Amino acid sequence: MKIIGLDVGSKTIGIAVSDALGLTAQGLTTLKWDENDIRSADIALKEIITNHEIGKAIVGLPKNMNGTIGERGQASERYAKHIEDTHEIPTVLWDERLTTVAAERVLLEADMSRKKRKKVIDKMAAVMILQSYLNQK
């Protein structure tokens, strides 16, 4: 069973997918979506879930540094519930503190331009969220 990792932002959703054995995460794509229309990414996400035979979703949960859950975390919780209800796969909320910062650092070390980093940062954050989950299994 493959697992999908999601870095849910207000305008984009970074997507990563595990290999069939659940050992490694690979960046797949970034979906544009409208957070105010929770269904706006449903068709594209359904296609990915079907094509990659996804059995579980790991949704990044952006907690505050003190461990509390703020507005962004609540949005991720709502989206995880929506995925379960709409796509009928279980979701796991995964602490994503500092994944975007770590992704940015990796891309800076790769000497990637700011314009290119902006295009792949969410996908890279999704890889880090999913890989972190896979490492803890």
Side-chain angles (χ1 to χ4, degrees):
M1 167 189 72
K2 290 185 182 178
I3 302 170
I4 193 169
L6 304 172
D7 178 47
V8 181
S10 59
K11 296 178 183 173
T12 60
I13 301 171
I15 299 184
V17 176
S18 76
D19 64 320
L21 297 176
L23 300 174
T24 61
Q26 296 85 36
L28 189 62
T29 190
T30 301
L31 299 178
K32 291 197 183 309
W33 84 306
D34 178 0
E35 183 177 40
N36 296 316
D37 177 8
I38 201 163
R39 294 177 175 82
S40 62
D42 282 356
I43 293 170
L45 192 58
K46 181 65 172 178
E47 188 175 312
I48 292 168
I49 290 169
T50 301
N51 290 344
H52 290 273
E53 300 175 346
I54 301 297
K56 182 189 287 184
I58 309 305
V59 178
L61 180 62
K63 292 183 178 181
N64 296 320
M65 292 312 287
N66 66 3
T68 61
I69 296 176
E71 187 178 324
R72 293 294 335 138
Q74 291 170 354
S76 290
E77 289 173 331
R78 282 191 300 276
Y79 196 65
K81 173 96 171 79
H82 174 73
I83 289 169
E84 287 185 350
D85 294 344
T86 303
H87 301 291
E88 299 177 341
I89 59 173
T91 61
V92 174
L93 288 159
W94 195 256
D95 187 350
E96 69 163 49
R97 281 180 280 191
L98 302 179
T99 55
T100 301
V101 173
E104 181 86 17
R105 188 175 302 126
V106 167
L107 296 173
L108 280 170
E109 288 173 6
D111 202 26
M112 188 175 283
S113 72
R114 181 183 305 265
K115 187 175 180 181
K116 287 182 181 175
R117 281 196 314 266
K118 190 171 170 37
K119 290 181 180 177
V120 299
I121 191 76
D122 296 323
K123 180 171 59 173
M124 178 67 93
V127 168
M128 294 185 151
I129 290 164
L130 180 55
Q131 192 63 57
S132 173
Y133 171 80
L134 295 173
N135 290 347
Q136 296 298 314
K137 282 197 331 172

